[in-house]
Amino acid sequence: MEATIECVQGNIASQDDLDAVVNAANARLMPGSGVAGAIHSAAGPALAEECRPLAPIRTGEAVLTGGHNLPNRYVIHCLGPVYGVDEPSDKLLANCYRNALALADQKGLGSVGFPAISTGVFGYPAEAAARVAVGTVKQALPGLESVKRVRFVLFSEADLAIYQSLCG
Ligand code: ADP
């Protein structure tokens, strides 16, 4: 079966038809602002408890936990690069997408949702980040066994338009 890439505008914490969603995490894997805030508040405090012994993680790394009260069985936590600080930022950002997909595939998952990692408080410009995200996913998907559906979940209409133009 051909793998598909979808782009939607929405909240990463309310994607109820995906096996896993990706958290734009901080190194300590603790609740924060943006995506990490939305995921931890929807998952409940047991997520932070499960995360504690897995932290800290390195830039570009991905780790997997349960989804707790989220509608998804799993959360894959990725630490994106801080733009202008963690270099080379494009390689480190690509590692997030590649490592998250590899973990999902190892678990035998069929579908994964990604936010626009690093484009919030970490300051990565939206269009440059989108090129890395879409390019890396397109490159990785044919080599995966179980992952057949990847969804980019964008918060803003402007970000959705960028992803749609790259995914088309
Ligand atoms: P980072 O620290 O990796 O920059 P952020 O969580 O600050 O991560 O932001 C990453 C991107 O996710 C930003 O473009 C932000 O607008 C977007 N975002 C924030 N909250 C949500 C959410 N609930 N669902 C999807 N995207 C979100």
Side-chain angles (χ1 to χ4, degrees), residues 10-12 24 33-35 38 116-122 153 155 159:
N11 179 356
I12 192 71
S33 59
V35 169
I117 299 169
S118 282
T119 65
V121 293
F122 284 2
V153 181
F155 219 37
D159 284 352

